[in-house]
Amino acid sequence: MNSSELPDPAELADAVSRGERAALATALNLLDDRRSESRQCAAQFLARLQQDESCAGGRLIGITGPPGAGKSSLTAALITVWRQRGLRVGVLAVDPSSPVSGGALLGDRLRMKTSSDDDGVFVRSLACRGEFGGLSAEVWPMSLVMLAAFDVTLIETVGVGQREIDVSRMCDTTCYVAQPGSGDSVQFLKAGILEVPHILVVNKEDMGAVARRTLSELGAAMNREHSDGHWQVPVLSASATRGSGIEALADAMEQHHEMLLARNELGPRRQRYQAQWILKRLLDEFGSFGIERLGGEREIFDQLQVQDLALFEQYEQLRQRTVGFYNDIQPVL
Amino acid sequence: MNQKTVQRDRPWLMRTYSGHSSATASNELYRMNLSKGQTGLSVAFDLPTQTGYDSDHPLARGEVGKVGVPISHIADMESLFDQIPLGQMNTSMTINATAPWLLALYVAVAERQGVDPSQLQGTTQNDVLKEYLSRGTYIFPPEPSVRLTTDLIAYTVDNIPKWNPTNICSYHLQEAGATPTQELAYALSTAIAILDAVQASGQIAQERFQAVVGRISFFVNAGIRFVEETCKMRAFGRMWDTMAQERYGVDDPKQRRFRYGVQVNSLGLTESQPENNVQRIVLEMLAVTLSKNARARAIQLPAWNEALGLPRPWDQQWALRMQQVLALETDLLEYGDLLDGSPMVEAKVQELIVGAEAEMARVAEQGGMVQAIESGYVKRELVQSHTRRMRNIESGDLKIVGVNCFQETAQSPLTSGTDAGIMKVNVQAERDQIVALQAFRAARSQGEVDASLAQLRAAAADGANIMPSSIVCARAGVTTGEWSEVLRDVFGEYRAPTGIDISMVGQTGSAALDDVRERVRKTGEELGRPLRLLIGKPGLDGHSNGAEQIAVKGRDAGFEIVYEGIRLTPAQIARAAQEEGAHLIGLSVLSGSHLELVEDIYGELEKIGVSGVPLIIGGIIPEDDARQLKDQGVAAVFTPKDVDMNAIMADMVDVIRRANGLEAYA
């Protein structure tokens, strides 16, 4: 969009909350736009959107796992089940960017082919653009938009090892999809490289014995009590191709969601994610020096959690303060 | 030597791959071709028939009767073979996912003609595995697909013994970029997968299994490097013989013969100076006829103008005459094998065998061909080979006369006629077909249809051979769409790996690529976000190689490519463009249905309020149509003439720039 065509932020936020598809597309494009006038518009838009309580509700689910484990097919199968249960679904599918060209080939849509007359599903592919340890910086603000419009927001990321952690730092419920026959997942869990997800699922149970073996190895390798507490991590088996085990997977996700609601954990969690996102962006922009000048990670984090401001406002305040420090530095002559 | 006493070998079976518009129109064409000396039939089905949809299904829009004949039910099949006695005909059917169904219709028509089905001769291509790698007319996941293939084989071995139940195709692998080594390895690995599955199904008694091996035939490609291609055919023969003996214990040498049919290479046919394709086709035909011990059993040649559009009867006649001249005028058929004993040929054959065996071992390590396809391994290898080929054409290392060298040409009288040298399809054909189909449905006995479909469903679910119940369905007037729908329901649908997740190969700083990358990056900055390109194939055409090449190149040039794959409705493409925030929509259509599909996509974009997103299209698009598409609003049309991928990328950037009010670079 040209700067002259920037949308009215308040109108756009209201249209997104009403779930209008064209508005959703415009909002996602706006959050992707790096020009300064667009960023201002995006800040106002998000401020308005975050006043709407739908942004604080919904289910924010992360699906991750090694390449080839069948995450997209599983996502497609889950979409079918959620739609049958009357839930509207927004998907953010993240794929890696090429470090050489900066380009990306995003192929998740291919497996998530949905009916073209169902307004209850919206899929946006994202390239991770080499930032943020695997998750594009745009994912968090975009997931707020999705949460405002849909009952379920699902973030799908590819990753092995460390990168999965980013998803669990952003989603209410994290589900790890393991590939049968590959020992990687088990090794990562044992070595502590893989932070324990809330739900573990072995896809491709149609492969038979090899899938069952991976299932039992995973079950044995991990401590079932999640570090968040109050949650026993289920180890499930499913087949996206056959459509088996999908209902049970959706049920497990729902139980985790209900647990969070019952314990009033959803709000604090989201606030924590927002704070983490801001910290990470500041770190990207100013490095640890900038963070230290703001009082250190802990201090910023605590402040962010007591403030009740929209995402970009919080970020902008801290950013301005940091820029101020730099302006104060007198050149040594 | 007195000419009359010379012993000549019997010529191979001469066919022309054809079919269009309707069963009646195709029947006329077949009878005309037979009267011209063609000795067998090769049926081309349209894409709805190949992918299991009736002519009135929304996905069939624009595709009915385009790349072949529409066959929706027994009455269509009956018209197709009207006045052609099936008892004496040898019919090859290029049909895969729906092969059991089309064979069932063929059997039912034979019964109506009073012919005993056990007398039928011909071939069903019935090789779904290569559809996942190239061509794209698969429907079901690999496991049930292999089962359907197996069922057809087991049925014909017992009931139609002279039928070639499967024609394992290395043809389309070459079209997808395979090297001769890869062609050998993947075709033979496919044969292993199929034969092992037949064995495991327990449908064939052990002592009859030799006959199964003996009925397996191949469908091979012949490219322009005709010496290497001849060696490839000799390698095929030797490897197959060894495999049949060692792996399957076939002791009758006759049952171990590598029997194959050929369609020569289409990939190398050019749109520029298309008359040069004539000599290409002739040389390629030489590759599969020269060596008597490795000679093709059946040959069909493409027409010189295939890269321009659909061939006319005269173009097909020219292709048939090429075969007749070689077989009847030259002395080729008077000699034994010309290449036996040549050390040069022997060394090349050995080299190919060693390479192919190594690649077969890699496939076997992964559990076999089905697993290597499911994991995306084979497709990735093919995309990589194809990408390498495109780069070599681009750099000029691979010479193509009239394309990347000697481009200057006088005006061609062949393409300057009123029809521009190609066949104009009857636009009325689709509507007529739909009217006839709906009348047929209304006239049949619904009770009989329902009962036969229930029988089919039961067979599909409980693992009984699919053929008997399919024949019952054919007799009862079930349609292609209904037959397929039942199986879709039982088996599920499938999307094959794309192979586009290959790493960037050979990115040795080309100045042209660097330049394009800079343009992509800068334009992205000016527009506020990285350039996003949506690539998809509307309609039913599954030839995804072109789309995949653009996707890979686009990524290498710095675009964010959203690849949506094949078999998309116009509504799906429009929605994806909206959801993904695409700066540009790139379509690929090779089936000839571009005009209808583009019109529909514009309609859908408008319906959901997407404006200002430019659209480009690539495919086999005649010049007249290209002009019409541009009038409809299409920003750029790319055809096989456009081989400079960097130039295509630069054009795409400019299309986006113009659509957003920025000045174009070029």
Side-chain angles (χ1 to χ4, degrees), chain A residues 25 79 125 146 162 243 277 311:
Chain A
I79 290 174
S125 314
M146 289 291 202
Q162 197 61 39
W277 183 87
L311 181 64

Side-chain angles (χ1 to χ4, degrees), chain A residues 1-2 21-23 25 28-30 32-35 97-111 113-127 129 206 241-242, chain B residues 141 143 494-498 500-501 504 507 517 525-530 532 534 551-552 555-569 571-572 575-576 578-581 608 660:
Chain A
M1 61 196 81
N2 295 327
R21 301 175 66 83
L28 295 175
N29 293 348
L30 180 65
D32 212 4
D33 198 326
R34 295 168 191 196
R35 288 170 297 188
S97 294
S98 151
V100 183
S101 73
L105 237 169
L106 312 171
D108 291 322
R109 244 198 131 74
L110 194 77
R111 282 170 210 295
K113 207 154 285 177
T114 47
S115 152
S116 54
D117 49 16
D118 184 359
D119 281 341
V121 183
F122 195 107
V123 179
R124 174 79 159 209
S125 314
L126 294 169
R129 297 175 184 163
D206 45 304
T241 338
R242 291 217 178 135
Chain B
E143 199 186 300
Y494 187 68
R495 284 283 170 257
T498 58
I500 54 175
D501 46 347
M504 305 218 281
Q507 288 302 300
R517 271 187 199 157
E525 265 175 26
E526 287 174 70
L527 295 178
R529 58 199 178 95
R532 288 167 76 86
L534 174 76
V552 171
R555 177 204 59 184
D556 291 0
F559 283 95
E560 288 187 1
I561 305 286
V562 179
Y563 184 62
E564 223 197 344
I566 62 168
R567 252 178 258 173
L568 303 163
T569 62
Q572 280 171 324
R575 285 207 161 206
Q578 181 178 56
E579 293 180 8
E580 297 291 355
I608 59 173
N660 287 278

